[in-house]
Amino acid sequence: MNLSFGVKVLIVVICALVSVIVGIVAGLIHHKPTTPKGPAFLYGGGVFGGSLTLCLFTLTALGVL
C-alpha cells in the first residue's frame, strides 16, 4: 500500500491509543485491593509494550507501514 506520511502517523497513533487501553484494562484486571498498585502498573506497562509491538509488526507485515 502506498499511503501518505500523515496517514501512517495516524495509524501509529491509533495503534498506540488502542495499546494504552489494553494496558489499562490489563492493569486493572491484575490489581487486587489488598496488594500495592506498583506491580499492576508494571504489568499494564508490559502489556502495553507487547500490544504495541504486536500491532506494529502486524501492520508492517501487511504492508501498511
Side-chain angles (χ1 to χ4, degrees), residues 9-28:
V9 169
L10 182 62
I11 290 171
V12 170
V13 168
I14 289 171
C15 284
L17 291 175
V18 168
S19 297
V20 165
I21 292 170
V22 170
I24 288 172
V25 170
L28 287 173

Side-chain angles (χ1 to χ4, degrees), residues 29-57:
I29 290 172
H30 185 71
H31 178 66
K32 294 174 185 58
T34 58
T35 60
K37 291 179 180 68
F41 282 127
L42 290 175
Y43 187 79
V47 171
F48 163 76
S51 175
L52 184 61
T53 303
L54 181 65
C55 184
L56 291 178
F57 277 156

